[in-house]
Amino acid sequence: MPATPERARDLASALKTIDDVLAHFQVVGDLARDARTKLAAVQEQAPGERQLGTTEALSSEAAKSWIPAPRGPVQLTRRQQQVLELLVQGVSNRRIGRTLHITEQTVKAHLHMIYRKLGATDRTGAVVIAMRFALVPEHLRAGRPQPARQIPSETPL
């Protein structure tokens, strides 16, 4: 196709749009990194010292309001606990379903109940609350993979 002024304008416009989108992704990435850094700082400090070590440090009261407390004691079913532990590991709904041998729709139903019980509005909120209030095993809060389970060896008869 021959290059026309109209085609050149269209290409320039498309490139500008792509640049704008990439700039927005960069901003979102920066926000996500900042949030992870702040969450890690909250987790690393002793319970009585919940201040973030940044120039915009949150006071203990602000940190408590930033990470909402669950509404009353949290009573999760065994399956909800399994879903929550996989959620904390960053596993997708589809993968959670495959791992637990349930449908993706059932995963969504369990997540809805987990959100209600924790007082969360989304996946990120549920993970933050679960980690902040030690609702998942220590190895998950520390970001380590699940320890390998011992499989009993079969003895030949």
Side-chain angles (χ1 to χ4, degrees):
M1 288 179 86
T4 64
E6 185 176 293
R7 183 166 165 78
R9 275 193 305 273
D10 289 346
L11 287 173
S13 176
L15 287 173
K16 181 173 179 355
T17 301
I18 290 170
D19 287 343
D20 291 346
V21 169
L22 290 175
H24 283 87
F25 281 142
Q26 181 66 41
V27 169
V28 170
D30 292 344
L31 289 171
R33 275 187 293 284
D34 187 45
R36 278 194 298 270
T37 301
K38 288 179 180 179
L39 179 59
V42 168
Q43 289 174 330
E44 289 174 4
Q45 294 178 352
E49 307 169 5
R50 290 284 180 200
Q51 293 184 353
L52 299 178
T54 65
T55 54
E56 307 123 26
L58 296 174
S59 68
S60 294
E61 292 305 311
K64 289 176 187 170
S65 66
W66 181 62
I67 303 172
R71 300 178 190 133
V74 178
Q75 296 287 325
L76 297 177
T77 65
R78 183 178 61 83
R79 184 59 94 185
Q80 289 169 350
Q81 185 65 39
Q82 291 170 332
V83 170
L84 180 62
E85 289 175 11
L86 290 168
L87 185 71
V88 167
Q89 295 175 56
V91 178
S92 69
N93 288 0
R94 178 173 288 173
R95 180 63 64 190
I96 291 171
R98 288 180 180 168
T99 301
L100 300 178
H101 306 291
I102 58 178
T103 68
E104 197 171 343
Q105 205 57 36
T106 303
V107 172
K108 290 177 183 179
H110 284 307
L111 288 173
H112 176 74
M113 290 307 297
I114 291 167
Y115 298 163
R116 283 189 55 195
K117 289 179 178 184
L118 297 181
T121 57
D122 57 16
R123 297 172 78 86
T124 304
V127 169
V128 169
I129 292 168
M131 293 178 78
R132 166 76 165 78
F133 293 96
L135 301 176
V136 292
E138 175 62 33
H139 70 274
L140 294 178
R141 291 194 310 271
R144 295 188 303 267
Q146 187 167 359
R149 294 185 181 177
Q150 294 291 341
I151 301 173
S153 60
E154 295 183 29
T155 55
L157 296 175

